[in-house]
Amino acid sequence: MSGAALYAHSCNSVGLRHGLAEHLRGSAALARRFGEVFGAGDLAAYLALVHDVGKGTCAWQDGLLRAEATGGRVGVPHKDAGAGLAAEHTAKPLAALVYGHHGGLPDRGRVREVLRSLSGCGPEAQAARKAVAAVRAVVPEIIPSAKLELPDWLRRLPGPRARLELDLLSRMLFSALVDADFLDTSAHFDNTSPRVAPTADMASLAERFEQRRKTFLAERPPSAVDEVRADIYRRVLAAAAGARGIYVMHVPTGGGKTLASAGFALRHAAEHGLRRVVFAVPFISITEQNAQVYRDMLDPVAGEAGGSVVLEHHSSADLHGPRASAWARLAAENWDAPVVVTTTVQLFQSLFSNRPSAMRKLHRLAGAVIVLDEVQALPDRLLAPILSGLRGLVDHFGASVVLASATQPEFWALPELQGAARLEMVEDVGRLFEQLRRVEYDWRIEEEVTWEALAESIVAEPERQVLAVVNTTSDAARLHRELGRAANDGGLVRNPDDSDVRVLHLSTRMTSEHRREVIADIRERLRLGWPTLVVSTSLIEAGVDIDFPCVYRAFTLAESLQQAAGRSNRDGNLPTGRVVIFLPSEGGTPSDTTYGFALDATTRCFGPGQADPDDLEALQRYYQERYAAQGSDGRALGEPIQEARRDLDFPRVAQDFQMIDNDHSQPVVVIRKDKTDLERAAVAADIARLRGPRPCGPEVLRRLQPHTAALPRREAQLALRNGLTTPITGDLLEWLSLI
């Protein structure tokens, strides 16, 4: 191919092809920028420089021209040559990163097979040598003058720990590589320069937050717990000057964690030159609520310079698979924003994935403050990899971590955090719990109750404002129906007058926009004192700022019981709130395999004649018994995933690390009939972009997030077979009728 031009991608909108040398060097420059944040800029740059060297063969170049003419795919492999160069000039395990930059990180056995084939005289070896020769003629730096070594800190670690940290380093380097590749590719097709946000001025953001917080608090109606919240905020902010590490924020429900954690994170980032803040919460409902709070506090308003500060990300679309378009992966989110609000599922599923579209964002965790709100919701069966990963990010990638919860688990009792400093933000937590004790528990678990009898009991409550939280979506649907019937039979719903009782329902099956609207309606009704009965799954109980005089909670784990209590008398404006714990005769239970261990520990520690869920000593004993019951070898806490990580078996880690059952839910975009023609057209246009032949960036999925709901996968697939839905890309579906 001497003298022939080498291309990386087909013509863009103005008829220009993407030169291979331009793409390799452009990707390398971006990857270096990303990798320098965690001290591996040279490694990241080299992996990006060689990732598409295999495109230098005549077969691939001819395939590109053919695909350009027909609209098909090139169909010629191009990963082997770069993988061989990575193995030769860096460390052999890093060959997996180049080999997997399209299809996903492979296991070590597959990498060995590829490298073995490159060392022989077969067609793969011949093609790789030809590609290297052709590309070296235009990009000579693909053959460096010296081997690029792994970081010193990794070589100093003992064997088992070194293998775990090599897994984490590989993931961060892979993220830098694929994000650089995606950005450079998207820029070509957009005929522009790669879009990378400038480094945020965290000190200015911290100051903006402080000023707006003061205004927000001044405009809020006064609360009986304001003084305690202010004291908590002062103490948390003072802790921000401390060293980087793993912080514990143990604050009672209603103690102002949302604002306090943000104040700490922004000030801590400014103190230590950290680059962004990532907030992760267990439920989308909290993501939506907190993201709006942070937008109000941080996004520029009229007359202020700069673009959006806060990025909300909870899209669960899988952009791989047989239905994924060729360019779908370029729409994956990369968290290029100063403040990111996401879910713990999104964060950790990405950290332990092996797919490029899920992992491209991971390098943004380096030099970040990672705030994990409601950490009690992290599943026991995955604690070993989660805690190990967090510790690795702190020890070697310049991050700080905040573990925030009113029901702090005993994580330091587990081996992954032993020896790590536990940095407490707030001392004398027991006194805070006494100051913020605002409810009484009414235990009704001696006898099981039917949904019909429960509905009648709720309707008879004198407060006429009751929240009922149950364990499953099917339980919520059943109780909602029974409540509606009981309210009608009791003559409580007579006219469409807002001042009559309204029965409302919250579920993950609603689109996030619809759910946000219902929560706003609930808050307004409560403010006006109108009778309101609400049925919800646990999505409402962890962090959602809502205040009922009376809460009913189906018996469940101790931490959920206390979190549900945090929705009663939240602002302390009543002498006391009421929390009724009941045992439904027909109730379902979550499918998590470790739920039974935790429920048994709850039964032993809490209930009539025992402790209430806000008893700190009982909570500590509960967590210790819960972990001990799952075995001392740690297998129930995720140790097999750690074994796969040590073996660099990326597909197995991804398969075994499932925070939720992937067979359980599927994302569906819903266009609601109550939207304007213009709004519906905008959603349809974004759907069309995802289906189109040209790549699009993450902004498309960002705009579709409010219109996406999660359906049980079996129901989604049945709807697909019956023509009610149609594929968009990957596993993302479109609901075909207006709702």
Side-chain angles (χ1 to χ4, degrees):
M1 293 194 61
S2 177
L6 297 178
Y7 298 109
H9 300 110
S10 55
C11 290
N12 61 16
S13 56
V14 297
L16 296 176
R17 294 194 184 97
H18 200 184
L20 182 56
E22 176 190 358
H23 176 51
L24 294 180
R25 287 178 173 141
S27 298
L30 288 167
R32 180 183 301 280
R33 178 175 173 179
F34 301 152
E36 283 175 345
V37 179
F38 52 94
D42 289 346
L43 274 175
Y46 184 74
L47 295 171
L49 185 71
V50 302
H51 79 283
D52 271 355
V53 164
K55 292 182 176 181
T57 64
C58 292
W60 198 92
Q61 293 292 314
D62 291 344
L64 178 67
L65 299 180
R66 185 172 57 252
E68 193 175 80
T70 63
R73 299 193 180 208
V74 175
V76 178
H78 69 275
K79 302 176 291 187
D80 293 11
L85 288 172
E88 181 179 356
H89 298 291
T90 66
K92 267 189 184 177
L94 300 188
L97 282 58
V98 174
Y99 185 78
H101 76 272
H102 279 306
L105 288 170
D107 59 47
R108 196 158 55 175
R110 179 61 185 141
V111 176
R112 280 196 294 262
E113 290 175 10
V114 171
L115 297 180
R116 193 180 302 119
S117 72
L118 294 178
S119 65
C121 300
E124 295 92 348
Q126 294 180 33
R129 284 193 284 271
K130 289 178 181 177
V132 170
V135 176
R136 186 180 185 183
V138 292
V139 189
E141 59 267 34
I142 65 171
I143 308 298
S145 58
K147 187 168 183 174
L148 285 79
E149 300 291 344
L150 294 172
D152 288 340
W153 61 260
L154 182 63
R155 296 200 297 271
R156 291 195 298 266
L157 292 174
R161 179 81 188 276
R163 291 195 295 273
L164 277 177
E165 300 306 334
L166 176 58
D167 166 89
L168 185 57
L169 175 65
S170 298
R171 294 173 185 278
M172 298 294 276
L173 286 169
F174 185 67
S175 171
L177 160 61
V178 296
D179 193 28
D181 178 23
F182 290 2
L183 286 168
D184 194 71
T185 301
S186 292
H188 161 69
F189 282 103
D190 291 340
N191 194 37
T192 186
S193 300
R195 292 189 291 268
V196 180
T199 302
D201 182 346
M202 301 306 289
S204 294
L205 289 180
E207 184 59 33
R208 178 186 292 177
F209 180 87
E210 285 299 320
Q211 292 174 355
R212 293 192 187 174
R213 172 184 167 273
K214 290 175 183 176
T215 302
F216 168 75
L217 293 178
E219 294 173 349
R220 254 182 105 168
S223 162
V225 297
D226 283 347
E227 188 175 333
V228 179
R229 288 172 178 166
D231 179 50
I232 289 171
Y233 188 84
R234 283 191 295 270
R235 290 200 263 173
V236 166
L237 207 62
R244 284 184 288 190
I246 304 178
Y247 283 82
V248 172
M249 185 178 178
H250 194 178
V251 174
T253 57
K257 280 201 315 301
T258 300
L259 293 179
S261 60
F264 169 89
L266 292 165
R267 185 61 59 193
H268 189 68
E271 289 273 352
H272 296 284
L274 303 185
R275 303 171 71 86
R276 67 181 37 79
V277 177
V278 178
F279 296 98
V281 295
F283 300 113
I284 292 175
S285 53
I286 322 174
T287 309
E288 297 157 355
Q289 169 190 278
N290 291 6
Q292 187 56 53
V293 171
Y294 299 146
R295 278 192 289 265
D296 292 342
M297 297 288 173
L298 292 168
D299 276 355
V301 295
E304 291 181 335
S308 296
V309 172
V310 179
L311 168 66
E312 179 183 352
H313 178 220
H314 47 73
S315 172
S316 58
D318 182 353
L319 300 179
H320 284 76
R323 291 198 178 101
S325 68
W327 299 107
R329 66 188 188 281
L330 300 186
E333 183 56 71
N334 69 345
W335 287 359
D336 190 12
V339 174
V340 177
V341 186
T342 188
T343 62
T344 47
V345 171
Q346 182 68 239
L347 171 62
F348 292 115
Q349 288 286 162
S350 299
L351 185 58
F352 296 108
S353 178
N354 72 323
R355 293 182 169 181
S357 60
M359 299 178 71
R360 71 177 292 192
K361 64 179 84 72
L362 294 182
H363 67 90
R364 309 284 183 187
L365 298 175
V369 185
I370 305 167
V371 180
L372 301 177
D373 200 3
E374 311 297 355
V375 291
Q376 78 285 345
L378 294 175
D380 291 3
R381 57 190 168 78
L382 299 175
L383 284 179
I386 286 174
L387 297 178
S388 168
L390 291 172
R391 185 171 184 177
L393 289 170
V394 169
D395 288 350
H396 306 300
F397 295 89
S400 278
V401 169
V402 176
L403 305 176
S405 176
T407 50
Q408 281 287 344
E410 292 295 306
F411 287 152
W412 268 261
L414 301 176
E416 286 72 28
L417 290 190
Q418 288 177 5
R422 175 177 174 137
L423 304 175
E424 299 280 359
M425 287 190 194
V426 178
E427 302 292 341
D428 195 12
V429 176
R431 183 176 64 84
L432 285 178
F433 270 74
E434 286 300 322
Q435 288 178 311
L436 291 180
R437 192 180 302 277
R438 306 178 305 280
V439 302
E440 294 179 352
Y441 291 88
D442 180 0
W443 296 92
R444 302 182 190 176
I445 59 174
E446 301 297 338
E447 295 183 2
E448 296 181 345
V449 62
T450 66
W451 295 122
E452 181 180 6
L454 181 66
E456 292 173 354
S457 176
I458 291 171
V459 166
E461 287 289 349
E463 291 91 348
R464 290 286 196 266
Q465 292 183 332
V466 182
L467 168 66
V469 185
V470 294
N471 292 324
T472 68
T473 55
S474 58
D475 287 357
R478 176 69 185 277
L479 180 56
H480 181 247
R481 289 194 298 270
E482 292 294 342
L483 265 180
R485 179 198 57 76
N488 275 299
D489 289 352
L492 299 178
V493 182
R494 299 177 297 277
N495 304 301
D497 188 333
D498 283 335
S499 60
D500 286 330
V501 167
R502 185 171 297 176
V503 180
L504 299 171
H505 174 243
L506 286 166
S507 166
T508 54
R509 297 192 186 194
M510 303 160 69
T511 67
S512 61
E513 182 182 54
H514 187 196
R515 191 165 47 243
R516 186 161 50 233
E517 291 169 359
V518 172
I519 291 175
D521 184 32
I522 293 169
R523 287 196 182 109
E524 181 64 6
R525 293 183 63 82
L526 293 177
R527 185 185 70 82
L528 295 170
W530 290 344
T532 307
L533 309 179
V534 178
V535 181
S536 177
T537 59
S538 59
L539 68 86
I540 200 172
E541 69 186 10
V544 177
D545 189 3
I546 206 161
D547 192 350
F548 281 83
C550 180
V551 171
Y552 275 60
R553 184 53 168 105
F555 187 69
T556 185
L557 310 188
E559 63 270 25
S560 291
L561 297 178
Q562 189 190 133
Q563 293 293 339
R567 304 325 108 192
S568 176
N569 196 22
R570 187 171 180 83
D571 290 326
N573 294 325
L574 299 174
T576 185
R578 293 176 55 244
V579 180
V580 178
I581 312 296
F582 64 93
L583 192 62
S585 59
E586 305 160 285
T589 57
S591 58
D592 193 300
T593 55
T594 59
Y595 182 82
F597 293 108
L599 191 63
D600 288 344
T602 299
T603 303
R604 289 193 299 271
C605 296
F606 302 97
Q610 301 186 91
D612 286 338
D614 51 11
D615 184 315
L616 294 184
E617 290 184 4
L619 273 171
Q620 184 179 36
R621 185 172 69 254
Y622 154 75
Y623 277 117
Q624 291 169 346
E625 289 190 18
R626 169 174 163 176
Y627 296 152
Q630 296 176 63
S632 58
D633 63 356
R635 299 191 68 81
L637 302 176
E639 179 56 33
I641 297 173
Q642 295 290 80
E643 294 172 6
R645 291 182 62 208
R646 294 185 191 101
D647 198 38
L648 297 182
D649 190 342
F650 299 105
R652 182 178 150 207
V653 172
Q655 177 181 322
D656 291 350
F657 190 97
Q658 299 295 330
M659 289 192 72
I660 56 174
D661 185 354
N662 275 354
D663 293 330
H664 179 67
S665 66
Q666 186 162 358
V668 181
V669 177
V670 178
I671 303 178
R672 292 165 56 193
K673 63 184 178 183
D674 58 353
K675 295 299 175 184
T676 66
D677 291 344
L678 191 61
E679 289 170 328
R680 290 196 294 268
V683 176
D686 280 332
I687 292 172
R689 286 205 67 187
L690 284 175
R691 289 192 177 117
R694 295 285 183 183
C696 57
E699 65 280 352
V700 176
L701 280 177
R702 290 174 193 170
R703 290 194 296 265
L704 288 176
Q705 280 182 150
H707 311 287
T708 304
L711 288 185
R713 190 167 293 270
R714 278 186 292 184
E715 291 184 20
Q717 291 300 307
L718 179 62
L720 183 63
R721 290 193 296 271
N722 291 336
L724 297 175
T725 65
T726 185
I728 298 176
T729 190
D731 71 342
L732 186 62
L733 302 176
E734 176 189 3
W735 194 267
L736 291 179
S737 60
L738 297 180
I739 291 180

